[in-house]
Amino acid sequence: MTVHKCLLPLALLALGACEVEPGATTGTDQRFIKELPEGVTAIAAPYQNLQAVVLLPEDNCYWYSHAGPVETTLLPLRTKDGRPICVQKAEEAAPQQ
């Protein structure tokens, strides 16, 4: 009988680990770009989710939400030949004198 009483708190603790992380991405995430630039959609590989794309300021590259069999995660958006799609920063684009 006491074994069953000990299992209840353990079960609740285990279920608490199933909670979604605060920073986890979902399909309704508001940070996704509503409409991608035409150039990005033209060079993006076809197997990627272009409905859920975000431009991360850390690397200035596009990332898309990939729903795998176990978890949903952000993956780098890639061209048809496998290169990541990034935006050049303004200070890098300006010619140096």
Side-chain angles (χ1 to χ4, degrees):
M1 187 92 171
T2 59
V3 173
H4 294 283
K5 289 181 182 179
C6 293
L7 290 178
L8 180 61
L10 288 174
L12 292 175
L13 182 63
L15 288 176
C18 295
E19 188 175 338
V20 176
E21 294 179 35
T25 60
T26 62
T28 59
D29 199 331
Q30 298 300 315
R31 66 182 176 156
F32 291 127
I33 299 171
K34 301 279 187 238
E35 189 173 330
L36 285 174
E38 287 181 29
V40 173
T41 56
I43 63 172
Y47 57 85
Q48 302 168 111
N49 179 8
L50 299 181
Q51 304 303 313
V53 176
V54 64
L55 181 63
L56 294 181
E58 296 89 27
D59 60 0
N60 255 16
C61 292
Y62 289 98
W63 293 71
Y64 73 98
S65 178
H66 172 73
V70 177
E71 65 182 357
T72 300
T73 186
L74 289 177
L75 295 177
L77 191 64
R78 297 197 178 268
T79 62
K80 294 170 185 154
D81 60 348
R83 292 179 289 138
I85 302 174
C86 301
V87 176
Q88 193 173 18
K89 293 181 181 178
E91 60 267 10
E92 293 174 2
Q96 296 186 3
Q97 299 176 8

